[in-house]
Amino acid sequence: MDPALTRNFSIIAHIDHGKTTLSDRLLEVTRTITERQKQDQLLDAMDLERERGITIKAHPVTMAYAARDGKTYQLNLLDTPGHVDFSYEVSRSLAACEGALVLVDAAQGVEAQTVANVQLAMNQNLMILPIINKIDLPGADPEKCRHQIEEVLALPGEDALLASAKEGIGIEDILEAIVERVPPPRLRGDDTLRASVFDSVFDSYRGVVSYVRVFSGTIEKGRRIRMMATGNDYEVKEVGVFTPKQSPRPALGPGDVGYLIANVKSTADVKIGDTVTDARKPAAEALPGFKEIHPMVFAGVYPVSSEDFEQLKLAIGKLQINDAALTFMAESSAALGFGFRCGFLGLLHMEIVLERLRREFGMDVISTYPGVVYEVDKTNGETQVIDNPLMLPEPQEIEEIREPLVKAFIMLPNEYIGDVLQLAMEKRGIVDHTETIDDGRVMLVCLLPLNEILVDFNDRLKSMTRGYGSMDYEHAGYQPAKLVRMDMLIAGEPVDAFATIVHRDKAASYGRKLAAKLKDVIPRQLFVVAIQAAVGGKIIARESIGAMRKNVTAKCYGGDITRKRKLLEKQKEGKKKMKAIGRVSIPQEAFIEVLKTSG
Amino acid sequence: MIQVPPADREPVRHLYVHIPFCHRICPYCGFYKHTPGATDRKRFIAALVAEAHHAAATIPLDIETVFFGGGTPTLLSHTHLELLLDGLHQTLPLSNVREWTFEANPKTFDRAKLEILRTHGATRLSLGVQSWNSQFLQLLGRDHTPEGARESFELARQSGFPSLGIDLMFALPGQTIDQWRDDIDTTLDLQPDHISTYNLTYEEDTEFMQRFERGEFHQDPDADAPFFLLAAEKIPAKGYHHYEISNYARPGHASQHNSAYWKGSSYLGLGPSAVSTIHRQRWTNIPDTTRYIEAVESFHHARGSAETLTDNDWRTERLALALRTSQGIALEMVGGPHNPTVQSLLEQNLAHIRQTHLALTRKGRLLADTIATELL
């Protein structure tokens, strides 16, 4: 395809601002798909994506558009995951484009996620086209949106196109703007093969399908290629484009977006952001921007019934084939039995993995509290990376602990600013600045420890702003913090599943909260059971469960004996299923109950 | 079909007879009972005697203790009682009987009825007083008044029963610890030979259970504990031996029949819903008087459900029952004195070792079910 007639672009938007609807319209208007095909194949999406209105995998599609200038253009739309958990993948998808459409809901205005994604697009030097969508809505206020686009996104507001993807208004204008304003792929001087991998999926019949953008040279069937980051060579079996189905083509040339299949067995062998080159005539340097991705959030994942361990292992293994960002390692817990320590890109990624285990594999699983990855400088000069609280060195061996930070963009109605500032402070946040979006809303930009926003931050933000607050964030490096490991002890025995790394100043209140919750769910024993939170051997919170006082059958004569025996057998069965923490017997459900409700 | 134990086995020495009739149905009671209604009592007695006859022909018997429970055994008329007791004497080997108990409700007997019981061998009367407080008697649906109970007790004394027992209930809805203390004191003043104290429990298919489920009554084992402990302090202080969780006796007056259950001895049960356990065989008679009578008339017995006790079942029962007694359980049954569970019970003062046995302390008795589970 002639690069001059090719346009590569993405759509970025806050959730529910109409990204999917606009994509559908573009495909319809360019007759890429018919109405009938829409439901089956348009997004080829997981139920989970459709339900949550999120995109997890990239969904590229190639459209042919007959423009008003009489020429037919090849438009490649790279639909990308919009969530910060996948910001690296997003950055690779954006790097494969020359332009981005930014959708703003005409009634809602600019939201936190819009800001974060526009920043990513700007970092890639993309041509950004603002589009004010849903102008048919009664509450639409395009002028206010133009103002916000200027003020908050720093984009020319008067250039924003008006559209209603739902009603089909402005779609042609958008297509024309893509042709006119998004630059064609820039050509390099040589014809050495350089293509960037922006996603990959596993196909059980054909192996790994890599999604690529060609920057220079060509790829065709039979070519020996090299993945520059891994150094592995493969023979190309097939190349093609997305129409949106995978449709084979003889070759992919400069500026093209498509796929390649080359006998790769696992997505772990295809690194997102890697450069594909010719094995016989390799490029001297890889394309910029490649990074090894590392999980940011870790948690223990356990089967609710221990006999499901092997099945869980298979299920996680299968997920990993298609999700190279997921890591897992077997671990065991006195409280929860055998399970896995899993690494995720973020909380959404974790939720998705757990949800997929439940839905696609029918697994009943429970996870421990998610934790982040800490950097620890030890007094002996070593630096350790800690993803499991149990692995934190003893306090006297620690010189410094650093924790990951995020830069959070929080948008909210003015009247809630006090509450939200308080929340940010409670979460150890530092406010960077606030911006007025319009007469009703402000944006709060602050630095927050990632650990602090893992569990309930978003829920609390939503509830204190009656659902109007929104948040997005980007990673912002590491910073030293006064962190300690807190252990929960039951009758003097530490319970591994509840060990956490917390800020020193918050340990006592967190410990009290957790102790109180454990107290509620642990059944009484024959003796008094102390529940303690401890930091470095010092007890910082304490609860106690009184001894059981009375459990005795009143009448026990000839006719009652069978019933009595059955009662005891039942009690014994129940006890067998319990987990022993020292001499305390605790049903696993008790732990699960606490893990479900705490944060 | 129930296996009949071989004749060379130990004969069965304990007999239970179930009389299912009650004047009125107490709203807390979970035993099989009904008002006599249209039941042909003569035919019922004939069936009981026929069942006894068949048992005597198939099971080696040498009866030493007899227990008539119910229902209300003393509800049978003079004539019917005589008919039944004569019938049993003619059918069963009763010459070695050492103890013969009748459960009796106050105001269901007169001097003449007691005389019939005495002349037919009864030695013990267990009087279902339940409470000395008329308010609670009413709540429990009992027919008698405190005065009536006292009169009945005196009457039984005068009739020369060698052993007289009083049954009480505690943890009644709304009962205060002082009210319970009054009940204990009143009972002790009468100097019965035996006292049973039962924690009220909410049994399936009773009116009390329905009221409990509706939230009218509450259950709090913790709150019941002081009631149990009060009895366990006061009654032994007057010379009674706390020989089982719910039972106290003056020396020589412990129920030999009930002790046989707790020791795991074989026993034969006659009458509707009666349970028999002979060696490892256990069966329950049909719990329906009409069907019971029909079954006995057709088959000479009325065995309904049956089970064979495995070694494990047997051990569980031995442990559960023996732990309830003051003698306790043989240490070898619970893994010896060094078993960590045993050690832990000793440390917590829930049990103590008496020579070869592990017995529960007063504190431990309150937790007998949990401790039995721990030791299983």
Side-chain angles (χ1 to χ4, degrees):
Chain A
M1 196 69 201
D2 182 357
L5 296 178
T6 298
R7 299 290 184 272
N8 296 320
F9 69 100
S10 272
I11 305 177
I12 52 192
H14 189 75
I15 187 167
D16 286 340
H17 280 199
K19 185 164 84 161
T20 308
T21 317
L22 178 61
S23 305
D24 289 3
R25 283 292 171 206
L26 296 179
L27 297 192
E28 277 166 40
V29 169
T30 57
R31 298 207 172 79
T32 311
I33 55 156
T34 62
E35 185 66 30
R36 191 178 54 79
Q37 295 170 308
K38 208 168 123 180
Q39 188 58 25
D40 314 335
Q41 53 164 221
L42 170 57
L43 283 179
D44 187 25
M46 292 182 247
D47 288 348
L48 210 57
E49 293 183 308
R50 213 169 281 163
E51 263 174 39
R52 292 186 162 215
I54 53 171
T55 307
I56 300 164
K57 297 299 272 185
H59 297 292
V61 59
T62 298
M63 298 170 274
Y65 173 60
R68 288 178 194 149
D69 63 8
K71 295 173 192 161
T72 297
Y73 290 82
Q74 169 180 273
L75 307 184
N76 294 316
L77 163 60
L78 282 77
D79 190 12
T80 60
H83 193 273
V84 62
D85 280 7
F86 307 102
S87 59
Y88 175 69
E89 285 89 334
V90 177
S91 79
R92 292 308 86 207
S93 285
L94 293 177
C97 299
E98 281 76 35
L101 311 184
V102 177
L103 277 191
V104 176
D105 182 314
Q108 308 275 331
V110 170
E111 293 282 0
Q113 211 181 342
T114 331
V115 179
N117 284 322
V118 165
Q119 295 214 340
L120 281 174
M122 283 176 165
N123 293 343
Q124 300 293 337
N125 295 315
L126 301 194
M127 173 68 205
I128 299 173
L129 300 181
I131 294 165
I132 298 168
N133 190 27
K134 305 197 188 182
I135 54 163
D136 58 306
L137 287 186
D141 189 347
E143 283 318 302
K144 194 163 147 186
C145 289
R146 278 188 208 280
H147 186 69
Q148 290 174 9
I149 289 167
E150 295 259 350
E151 292 298 310
V152 185
L153 303 179
L155 295 169
E158 72 273 14
D159 290 355
L161 299 170
L162 300 182
S164 166
K166 189 163 155 256
E167 298 301 323
I169 301 166
I171 307 302
E172 294 271 352
D173 291 345
I174 293 171
L175 286 164
E176 283 298 316
I178 292 168
V179 168
E180 281 167 26
R181 288 156 62 183
V182 173
R186 192 168 62 85
L187 295 179
R188 298 186 176 236
D190 61 21
D191 60 356
T192 306
L193 173 60
R194 291 182 193 87
S196 158
V197 178
F198 60 88
D199 206 349
S200 66
V201 293
F202 181 79
D203 179 314
S204 42
Y205 298 104
R206 307 198 290 171
V208 175
V209 180
S210 304
Y211 295 5
V212 294
R213 152 75 196 264
V214 181
F215 284 89
S216 61
T218 55
I219 320 179
E220 63 284 301
K221 186 177 168 181
R223 173 78 63 109
R224 297 261 335 146
I225 53 163
R226 176 167 300 159
M227 298 290 187
M228 293 185 74
T230 62
N232 294 334
D233 291 358
Y234 302 95
E235 186 185 312
V236 175
K237 299 289 177 200
E238 182 182 317
V239 295
V241 296
F242 303 95
T243 63
K245 264 195 323 214
Q246 292 172 10
S247 309
R249 292 285 182 272
L252 294 178
D256 283 346
V257 170
Y259 67 91
L260 75 84
I261 295 169
N263 255 349
V264 185
K265 296 284 187 300
S266 160
T267 52
D269 295 329
V270 178
K271 307 272 183 200
I272 307 294
D274 199 354
T275 301
V276 178
T277 190
D278 191 321
R280 295 191 181 83
K281 193 187 148 206
E285 274 178 33
L287 296 163
F290 171 73
K291 272 197 306 193
E292 282 280 356
I293 45 171
H294 297 291
M296 299 295 294
V297 170
F298 283 81
V301 175
Y302 288 83
V304 165
S305 43
S306 48
E307 57 265 35
D308 291 342
F309 172 78
E310 285 300 326
Q311 224 182 316
L312 177 61
K313 186 175 172 182
L314 279 174
I316 297 183
K318 279 187 184 162
L319 277 187
Q320 198 194 35
I321 290 177
N322 218 343
D323 183 356
L326 169 67
T327 65
F328 69 101
M329 241 174 84
E331 72 171 9
S332 74
S333 150
L336 300 170
F338 290 99
F340 299 93
R341 185 127 200 109
C342 294
F344 310 95
L345 295 173
L347 210 60
L348 178 72
H349 186 212
M350 172 170 162
E351 276 176 41
I352 288 165
V353 168
L354 293 178
E355 196 60 26
R356 291 185 70 188
L357 286 172
R358 290 183 185 119
R359 286 196 198 183
E360 294 170 32
F361 298 92
M363 300 294 312
D364 198 1
V365 292
I366 182 80
S367 70
T368 60
Y369 301 127
V372 300
V373 181
Y374 297 95
E375 293 175 353
V376 179
D377 287 347
K378 292 170 69 177
T379 47
N380 65 6
E382 281 174 29
T383 295
Q384 242 180 308
V385 173
I386 300 292
D387 60 38
N388 182 343
L390 297 174
M391 306 306 282
L392 192 72
E394 293 301 314
Q396 65 274 12
E397 296 171 30
I398 297 174
E399 188 73 47
E400 180 180 277
I401 307 182
R402 288 181 298 278
E403 65 177 337
L405 292 185
V406 297
K407 185 177 185 183
F409 308 94
I410 304 168
M411 300 221 172
L412 63 145
N414 288 338
E415 62 260 44
Y416 303 114
I417 185 79
D419 294 339
V420 175
L421 278 171
Q422 189 142 14
L423 175 67
M425 261 158 62
E426 183 197 320
K427 298 294 185 179
R428 298 192 283 124
I430 297 163
V431 177
D432 186 271
H433 64 277
T434 55
E435 270 174 44
T436 303
I437 298 169
D438 51 43
D439 49 9
R441 289 196 307 161
V442 285
M443 178 167 75
L444 186 65
V445 179
C446 55
L447 285 173
L448 283 159
L450 175 59
N451 188 33
E452 295 283 350
I453 60 169
L454 281 186
V455 180
D456 64 348
F457 191 89
N458 207 31
D459 289 347
R460 286 181 58 191
L461 174 67
K462 287 280 177 206
S463 78
M464 66 175 46
T465 59
R466 295 163 171 253
Y468 289 111
S470 68
M471 179 188 71
D472 207 335
Y473 59 88
E474 58 189 37
H475 293 290
Y478 274 76
Q479 156 179 294
K482 289 172 176 148
L483 299 165
V484 291
R485 172 171 131 200
M486 187 182 82
D487 288 309
M488 294 306 297
L489 306 150
I490 295 176
E493 296 282 331
V495 185
D496 47 17
F498 295 103
T500 42
I501 294 176
V502 290
H503 193 267
R504 202 177 54 188
D505 298 344
K506 297 185 134 193
S509 69
Y510 185 53
R512 275 196 296 277
K513 200 167 118 189
L514 211 50
K517 282 194 169 145
L518 284 166
K519 183 187 172 168
D520 282 347
V521 298
I522 295 176
R524 293 199 298 166
Q525 313 278 317
L526 284 174
F527 41 86
V528 175
V529 175
I531 299 171
Q532 297 161 311
V535 169
K538 195 177 150 227
I539 303 301
I540 55 165
R542 169 197 309 269
E543 288 278 355
S544 87
I545 300 173
M548 182 194 290
R549 282 205 71 189
K550 184 169 180 291
N551 178 25
V552 55
T553 308
K555 282 197 179 184
C556 221
Y557 300 108
D560 310 316
I561 298 174
T562 296
R563 192 164 74 143
K564 168 87 174 166
R565 186 186 78 233
K566 290 190 169 152
L567 172 81
L568 293 181
E569 279 166 355
K570 205 173 128 198
Q571 286 183 0
K572 190 186 165 190
E573 272 313 299
K575 212 191 147 200
K576 263 202 223 156
K577 287 191 195 139
M578 293 191 190
K579 307 281 179 182
I581 302 294
R583 54 188 191 131
V584 182
S585 301
I586 304 171
Q588 189 179 312
E589 300 86 75
F591 293 118
I592 290 173
E593 194 54 38
V594 174
L595 288 172
K596 270 186 186 159
T597 58
S598 293
Chain B
M1 191 59 217
I2 305 293
Q3 274 183 326
V4 174
D8 60 347
R9 285 265 182 98
E10 275 282 292
V12 174
R13 302 185 191 280
H14 309 284
L15 172 69
Y16 175 79
V17 181
H18 192 77
I19 309 293
F21 310 121
C22 284
H23 254 316
R24 56 188 271 193
I25 302 306
C26 299
Y28 60 89
C29 175
F31 291 108
Y32 176 65
K33 76 282 154 181
H34 53 86
T35 51
T39 310
D40 179 342
R41 270 167 275 186
K42 250 188 169 160
R43 199 173 149 207
F44 169 71
I45 287 163
L48 260 184
V49 174
E51 192 196 5
H53 187 81
H54 177 73
T58 52
I59 301 167
L61 301 171
D62 179 8
I63 303 301
E64 294 179 3
T65 72
V66 181
F67 196 104
F68 270 59
T72 314
T74 47
L75 203 64
L76 290 175
S77 68
H78 302 71
T79 323
H80 290 147
L81 266 178
E82 273 191 312
L83 192 62
L84 172 61
L85 296 175
D86 284 341
L88 294 180
H89 271 290
Q90 284 158 20
T91 320
L92 297 168
L94 299 176
S95 56
N96 290 329
V97 168
R98 296 178 273 128
E99 176 192 281
W100 186 324
T101 307
F102 267 84
E103 277 185 351
N105 279 339
K107 308 310 276 182
T108 57
F109 53 83
D110 56 12
R111 195 179 296 273
K113 198 179 274 186
L114 294 180
E115 195 55 36
I116 293 168
L117 298 183
R118 282 293 291 132
T119 54
H120 283 83
T123 62
R124 221 175 146 256
L125 214 59
S126 179
L127 203 58
V129 174
Q130 317 309 0
S131 173
W132 295 106
N133 179 316
S134 50
Q135 172 203 332
F136 288 119
L137 286 173
Q138 222 166 20
L139 178 75
L140 292 170
R142 305 294 290 184
D143 264 343
H144 64 268
T145 59
E147 298 71 37
R150 188 182 292 270
E151 284 163 22
S152 290
F153 182 83
E154 297 298 347
L155 195 63
R157 263 282 181 254
Q158 289 157 19
S159 301
F161 273 88
S163 199
L164 266 182
I166 287 177
D167 291 358
L168 297 175
M169 292 173 75
F170 64 88
L172 305 173
Q175 189 182 32
T176 65
I177 192 88
D178 289 332
Q179 286 170 323
W180 173 230
R181 185 180 290 109
D182 288 347
D183 274 355
I184 297 171
D185 287 340
T186 308
T187 305
L188 289 171
D189 285 347
L190 290 173
Q191 302 183 348
D193 303 295
H194 190 278
I195 302 171
S196 299
T197 59
Y198 298 114
N199 197 135
L200 171 68
T201 44
Y202 295 91
E203 304 288 340
E204 293 297 319
D205 302 324
T206 62
E207 189 190 317
F208 265 35
M209 183 57 132
Q210 289 170 7
R211 294 181 70 177
F212 175 70
E213 283 169 349
R214 284 200 300 264
E216 289 175 40
F217 296 154
H218 302 279
Q219 207 171 14
D220 177 4
D222 271 13
D224 295 347
F227 287 73
F228 178 93
L229 289 174
L230 185 69
E233 272 163 38
K234 287 189 71 81
I235 302 173
K238 294 282 181 180
Y240 294 80
H241 181 36
H242 190 178
Y243 72 107
E244 196 260 357
I245 299 275
S246 302
N247 288 286
Y248 303 84
R250 295 163 80 174
H253 288 275
S255 164
Q256 296 173 52
H257 183 85
N258 289 336
S259 296
Y261 293 142
W262 303 327
K263 280 183 197 137
S265 307
S266 293
Y267 56 93
L268 173 69
L270 302 177
S273 85
V275 176
S276 302
T277 305
I278 295 179
H279 305 298
R280 297 293 180 94
Q281 305 294 322
R282 177 172 298 154
W283 65 87
T284 304
N285 280 352
I286 296 167
D288 178 298
T289 305
T290 307
R291 287 176 49 222
Y292 163 83
I293 293 170
E294 286 164 5
V296 175
E297 285 173 353
S298 309
F299 310 108
H300 311 294
H301 71 79
R303 294 168 192 175
S305 55
E307 61 179 328
T308 301
L309 302 175
T310 64
D311 285 353
N312 205 33
D313 292 343
W314 186 249
R315 180 175 176 272
T316 303
E317 292 185 357
R318 299 276 19 84
L319 182 77
L321 298 173
L323 265 185
R324 295 174 61 88
T325 65
S326 56
Q327 194 194 5
I329 179 104
L331 273 166
E332 76 248 22
M333 291 275 291
V334 292
H338 303 296
N339 173 347
T341 311
V342 171
Q343 281 297 315
S344 154
L345 294 172
L346 296 174
E347 279 162 27
Q348 294 168 65
N349 193 30
L350 293 171
H352 45 221
I353 290 180
R354 291 278 156 86
Q355 284 117 26
T356 55
H357 281 64
L358 180 78
L360 299 183
T361 60
R362 193 177 287 169
K363 186 177 152 202
R365 284 181 164 170
L366 274 168
L367 294 160
D369 289 3
T370 306
I371 293 171
T373 311
E374 298 274 327
L375 286 168
L376 275 181

